[in-house]
Amino acid sequence: MHPPEMRARARALRARGHDIRSVARSLSLPYTTVWHWCVDRPEPAVFGSAVRCFRCRPDQDDPPDQAAYAYLLGLYLGDGHMVTTDRTPVLRIYCADAWPNLIGQCDTAMRAVLANKVQHIQKRGCVAVQSTARHWPCLFPQHGPGRKHERPIVLTEWQRTIVEPQAGDFLRGLFHSDGCRFANQVTVRGKRYVYPRYMFHNESTDIMGLCQWALDLLGIAWRMNRRNSLSVARREAVAALDRHVGPKS
């Protein structure tokens, strides 16, 4: 955690007209850290026992449940959306009706990370699992206008610090949202073979890159079978991913 005086200096420089990049350079800080202080949360947070946001508490550096945060981040990057135009931000994850267990896992992760209350809104063919909380934008700075594949999606330094040791949970969120495990069938010289295979599909090259990065951290072999589709098919790679991802149902 940076001392409060550093945050105050950054905000003072910004108030005098300096842009984010020049403030970061002058204070030897990451660009994303200064952006969070001066743009995403320009006013000092009000602390107290009711504040659960680990980014806004001076006594807490990381989420109390890092695995839950990594999992929820994966879900958000896949099928998540954040509404910040209302008075209080809303984090919304869309879960297909076909996977009722996924709905429960998403609900549990939201509560472990920040939410005091989670709503399930039935939509056509899916359920929107959502929570209203003022501090969701602090925890998911990837939010922004437009579709995710039309804007940069980059993890901040503090997010990478959390996700790296929890790469398996992060992948579980990604594959539970935009991935699947199925029985692939091939015929070779007239003989039919059936074997399990994972697929991950996303239009964002940045999110696809994060999936590749997490797989590499765990030593799981993958290949791109299409521009927007990744495959994990080797027997040992599928077995390794099974240990982390598990059933989606």
Side-chain angles (χ1 to χ4, degrees), residues 39-117:
V39 178
D40 195 38
R41 183 159 293 282
E43 298 298 329
V46 177
F47 303 115
S49 58
V51 178
R52 294 187 60 200
C53 175
F54 68 92
R55 292 291 296 162
C56 295
R57 290 183 66 96
D59 58 340
Q60 196 170 348
D61 292 328
D62 299 310
D65 190 333
Q66 296 192 24
Y69 177 80
Y71 176 60
L72 189 60
L73 175 60
L75 288 178
Y76 166 72
L77 293 179
D79 284 332
H81 172 65
M82 192 180 301
V83 178
T84 57
T85 53
D86 296 334
R87 177 182 295 181
T88 307
V90 179
L91 175 66
R92 187 174 293 134
I93 311 288
Y94 294 96
C95 303
D97 289 339
W99 315 114
N101 192 44
L102 173 59
I103 297 170
Q105 291 183 61
C106 180
D107 183 303
T108 300
M110 281 189 177
R111 294 178 190 273
V113 172
L114 180 66
N116 290 317
K117 182 179 179 181

Side-chain angles (χ1 to χ4, degrees), residues 1-234:
M1 291 285 289
H2 295 283
E5 305 82 55
M6 185 68 79
R7 300 187 188 204
R9 288 177 61 192
R11 289 182 175 128
L13 288 171
R14 176 66 173 163
R16 288 201 289 268
H18 296 274
D19 60 28
I20 300 297
R21 196 169 301 280
S22 65
V23 173
R25 189 183 303 114
S26 65
L27 299 179
S28 299
L29 291 169
Y31 177 93
T32 51
T33 298
V34 177
W35 180 88
H36 174 75
W37 291 346
C38 299
V39 178
D40 195 38
R41 183 159 293 282
E43 298 298 329
V46 177
F47 303 115
S49 58
V51 178
R52 294 187 60 200
C53 175
F54 68 92
R55 292 291 296 162
C56 295
R57 290 183 66 96
D59 58 340
Q60 196 170 348
D61 292 328
D62 299 310
D65 190 333
Q66 296 192 24
Y69 177 80
Y71 176 60
L72 189 60
L73 175 60
L75 288 178
Y76 166 72
L77 293 179
D79 284 332
H81 172 65
M82 192 180 301
V83 178
T84 57
T85 53
D86 296 334
R87 177 182 295 181
T88 307
V90 179
L91 175 66
R92 187 174 293 134
I93 311 288
Y94 294 96
C95 303
D97 289 339
W99 315 114
N101 192 44
L102 173 59
I103 297 170
Q105 291 183 61
C106 180
D107 183 303
T108 300
M110 281 189 177
R111 294 178 190 273
V113 172
L114 180 66
N116 290 317
K117 182 179 179 181
V118 178
Q119 296 175 297
H120 297 183
I121 310 298
Q122 184 64 54
K123 304 287 185 179
R124 184 175 180 179
C126 69
V127 172
V129 182
Q130 66 180 45
S131 165
T132 301
R134 183 176 139 209
H135 292 271
W136 281 124
C138 310
L139 305 184
F140 297 101
Q142 287 71 34
H143 73 89
R147 299 176 180 178
K148 295 192 193 84
H149 68 275
E150 296 174 344
R151 53 188 169 86
I153 300 293
V154 181
L155 297 189
T156 63
E157 182 181 354
W158 62 263
Q159 284 178 305
R160 284 184 173 266
T161 301
I162 296 169
V163 171
E164 282 188 12
Q166 309 294 337
D169 294 287
F170 179 61
L171 285 171
R172 187 162 60 93
L174 289 176
F175 277 92
H176 277 186
S177 55
D178 277 347
C180 63
R181 185 189 191 275
F182 63 100
N184 194 49
Q185 302 181 21
V186 296
T187 302
V188 180
R189 299 189 182 94
K191 189 173 182 179
R192 184 166 164 267
Y193 296 89
V194 180
Y195 63 92
R197 182 183 187 185
Y198 279 94
M199 298 287 292
F200 178 73
H201 176 95
N202 199 289
E203 292 294 331
S204 168
T205 56
D206 287 342
I207 295 175
M208 184 63 71
L210 290 172
C211 182
Q212 296 166 354
W213 166 68
L215 288 168
D216 288 341
L217 286 174
L218 296 176
I220 297 175
W222 55 270
R223 70 178 183 86
M224 297 296 294
N225 62 316
R226 290 200 305 273
R227 172 192 58 81
N228 56 359
S229 180
L230 176 150
S231 168
V232 175
R234 292 183 183 178

